[in-house]
Amino acid sequence: MPTSDDVASLHFRGQTHEFPVITGSENELGIDIAALRKKTGAVTLDYGYINTGSCESAITYLDGEKGILRYRGYPVEDLAANSRFVEVAYLLINGHMPTPHERTEWSGLLNQHSMIHEDMRHFFYRFPDHAHPMAILSAMVVSLSTFYPELSQHRPEEPEEAIHIAATRLMSKLRTVAAFSYKKSIGEPFVYPRHDLKYCANFLNMMFSSPVCPYEIRPEVVKALNVLLILHADHEQNCSTAAVRLVGSARVNLYASVAAGICALWGPLHGGANQMVIDMLEEIRDSGTSVRDYVEQVKASKGRKLLYGFGHRVYKTYDPRAKIIKKCCDDLLSVLKVNDPLLDIAHELEAYGLHDEYFLSRNLYPNVDFYSGIIYRAIGIPKEMFTVMFALGRLPGWIAHWKEAREDPRFKLQRPRQIYVGPNMRVLRDEDKTREH
Ligand code: SDX
């Protein structure tokens, strides 16, 4: 348990105020400013919450300087090498690896809840053909709350069983909705989930098999997909998880809170970056611009043109996930005998970025999004679906944080303060007053 064995003193307008310091289990320090406004009349101002913690959490630990990432204490490197995604999802949501009995029960429930209500199938046909799958995904997820209203928003304490069922439902149905949104986009009939296939194999089958052509499920592809989903499963208080927590803090049900997370993840600065990386690599390939010239354009743009897949709010070294994904990418493309020219451009960009003063001085390294799209391409997933894949992976993290926030004894509605910089009080002039009533 964290201890508060020292205090922080603030000297402000001739007075000294003390605030408790919280020390986390990995010795992170947090100054608890709950009493700041009462003591000083001031609030903090921290654009982007760069220095602001919103909670204490026991789910994921990351160290941005050392490139450490652990889920419930387990290094992601170990989990990626030795576990399947559904086991890691169970770990994040429940706090421990599943026992053989729990694994069997979890697998059975995922199968039981893998179908969506037949009425929901018709929703797909009402979206325009060019609808982005992230828009469909968030709409479908919030719609689940109409078909499964068991998580009422009016009981302060949801029964544990109801949350477990809702979490399992969401874990299984999001995969089905994702595959159906792809089939809809290519005008093919939906392929239903099968109980004889495990999570990733089931997803690949729903995505790529068709009534006229069965899909060959290759173990190397299943393994690569498990690794990718595991590496995306959680990342402490990232933008989309913070959105899930914020929306959930109003006691919004799990489905609607996750739909908010999906919308936040869609952003090109966040989960949408994996699609932007491929757009960027295709732009370099198709324009004939050299990598060197492209990087110089980025540097000269003063932040208006970004090197997507590079940089991170927390990691100031190589994203540990990117290291694993890069190796997974090289291995899979070699096994599948795929020669993707975009991979060569990515390698050249990385080499350039890792030696250029502009990137080194700003601690800009490849992040989780830099190589993931190359793997999705090799599997046959179109780039419009890349952020959907990120959402599939991040879902257990969102569920875990939504649950943890509601169980937190310090749970509160999230409502940040501001510093007002608008006009001081003024009086309506006669000419501004309306005549008609
Ligand atoms: C994810 O938070 C998480 O954990 C997220 C995530 C997760 O698992 O949930 O890890 C997933 O979102 C990864 C990030 C994916 N996004 C991208 O790849 C988009 C490109 N990256 C940038 O948009 C940026 O790096 C951010 C948004 C990721 C982080 O930006 P910060 O922390 O707000 O830093 P900043 O924008 O203040 O940048 C500092 C400097 C600036 O230059 P100066 O003003 O100091 O001259 O670095 C520059 C920026 O212009 N910079 C970049 C750059 N990223 C930062 N310049 C060129 N290309 C970039 N990618």
Side-chain angles (χ1 to χ4, degrees), residues 90 100-110 161 164-165 168:
Y90 189 97
H101 170 69
E102 287 165 334
R103 193 176 289 132
T104 305
E105 190 247 2
W106 178 235
S107 181
L109 275 176
L110 287 169
E161 183 57 18
H164 182 60
I165 294 295
T168 310

Side-chain angles (χ1 to χ4, degrees), residues 70-188:
R70 300 183 198 134
Y71 298 157
R72 300 283 189 184
Y74 296 101
V76 282
E77 294 83 356
D78 290 356
L79 294 170
N82 303 299
S83 306
R84 289 191 298 118
F85 172 60
V86 291
E87 293 156 353
V88 174
Y90 189 97
L91 167 70
L92 285 166
I93 295 169
N94 300 290
H96 64 275
M97 290 299 274
T99 62
H101 170 69
E102 287 165 334
R103 193 176 289 132
T104 305
E105 190 247 2
W106 178 235
S107 181
L109 275 176
L110 287 169
N111 269 336
Q112 182 184 335
H113 294 291
S114 57
M115 294 275 284
I116 59 173
H117 193 290
E118 279 296 288
D119 289 352
M120 284 186 78
R121 276 180 350 116
H122 304 299
F123 295 3
F124 287 94
Y125 302 116
R126 298 294 176 269
F127 287 104
D129 290 344
H130 57 273
H132 196 287
M134 284 298 276
I136 296 175
L137 204 70
S138 58
M140 286 296 182
V141 167
V142 73
S143 305
L144 286 171
S145 62
T146 63
F147 287 89
Y148 308 103
E150 76 282 347
L151 279 188
S152 92
Q153 304 197 145
H154 309 299
R155 270 197 307 266
E157 301 309 319
E158 291 294 352
E160 191 57 35
E161 183 57 18
I163 291 181
H164 182 60
I165 294 295
T168 310
R169 245 195 204 112
L170 198 43
M171 277 296 299
S172 198
K173 292 183 190 318
L174 193 72
R175 168 189 51 175
T176 304
V177 168
F180 281 18
S181 62
Y182 171 63
K183 284 298 197 188
K184 141 86 183 161
S185 72
I186 57 173
E188 282 192 9

Side-chain angles (χ1 to χ4, degrees), residues 85-322:
F85 172 60
V86 291
E87 293 156 353
V88 174
Y90 189 97
L91 167 70
L92 285 166
I93 295 169
N94 300 290
H96 64 275
M97 290 299 274
T99 62
H101 170 69
E102 287 165 334
R103 193 176 289 132
T104 305
E105 190 247 2
W106 178 235
S107 181
L109 275 176
L110 287 169
N111 269 336
Q112 182 184 335
H113 294 291
S114 57
M115 294 275 284
I116 59 173
H117 193 290
E118 279 296 288
D119 289 352
M120 284 186 78
R121 276 180 350 116
H122 304 299
F123 295 3
F124 287 94
Y125 302 116
R126 298 294 176 269
F127 287 104
D129 290 344
H130 57 273
H132 196 287
M134 284 298 276
I136 296 175
L137 204 70
S138 58
M140 286 296 182
V141 167
V142 73
S143 305
L144 286 171
S145 62
T146 63
F147 287 89
Y148 308 103
E150 76 282 347
L151 279 188
S152 92
Q153 304 197 145
H154 309 299
R155 270 197 307 266
E157 301 309 319
E158 291 294 352
E160 191 57 35
E161 183 57 18
I163 291 181
H164 182 60
I165 294 295
T168 310
R169 245 195 204 112
L170 198 43
M171 277 296 299
S172 198
K173 292 183 190 318
L174 193 72
R175 168 189 51 175
T176 304
V177 168
F180 281 18
S181 62
Y182 171 63
K183 284 298 197 188
K184 141 86 183 161
S185 72
I186 57 173
E188 282 192 9
F190 297 143
V191 173
Y192 280 62
R194 284 172 36 185
H195 285 194
D196 62 319
L197 295 176
K198 298 284 186 203
Y199 185 94
C200 286
N202 222 337
F203 173 72
L204 292 166
N205 189 60
M206 286 193 273
M207 285 281 286
F208 299 121
S209 70
S210 76
V212 294
C213 177
Y215 170 71
E216 182 201 357
I217 300 171
R218 297 191 55 169
E220 303 91 346
V221 175
V222 172
K223 171 67 182 164
L225 189 53
N226 266 295
V227 168
L228 277 170
L229 294 178
I230 287 170
L231 293 176
H232 285 81
D234 192 50
H235 214 239
E236 54 131 281
Q237 303 304 318
N238 61 86
C239 178
S240 54
T241 301
V244 170
R245 278 182 170 259
L246 185 135
V247 170
S249 76
R251 291 228 180 272
V252 168
N253 67 70
L254 175 63
Y255 304 115
S257 302
V258 166
I262 291 170
C263 294
L265 187 73
W266 191 0
L269 296 188
H270 189 16
N274 56 16
Q275 178 177 343
M276 300 298 289
V277 167
I278 298 300
D279 288 346
M280 173 182 74
L281 297 175
E282 288 175 337
E283 180 193 343
I284 294 172
R285 178 196 63 192
D286 300 341
S287 65
T289 307
S290 70
V291 163
R292 182 185 182 288
D293 289 349
Y294 191 87
V295 170
E296 290 311 314
Q297 289 170 19
V298 168
K299 289 158 60 176
S301 76
K302 300 201 181 310
R304 287 187 308 282
K305 189 181 183 79
L306 296 171
L307 196 59
Y308 284 96
F310 260 69
H312 199 276
R313 171 62 54 80
V314 179
Y315 288 125
K316 299 312 169 192
T317 182
Y318 210 108
D319 186 326
R321 301 167 297 176

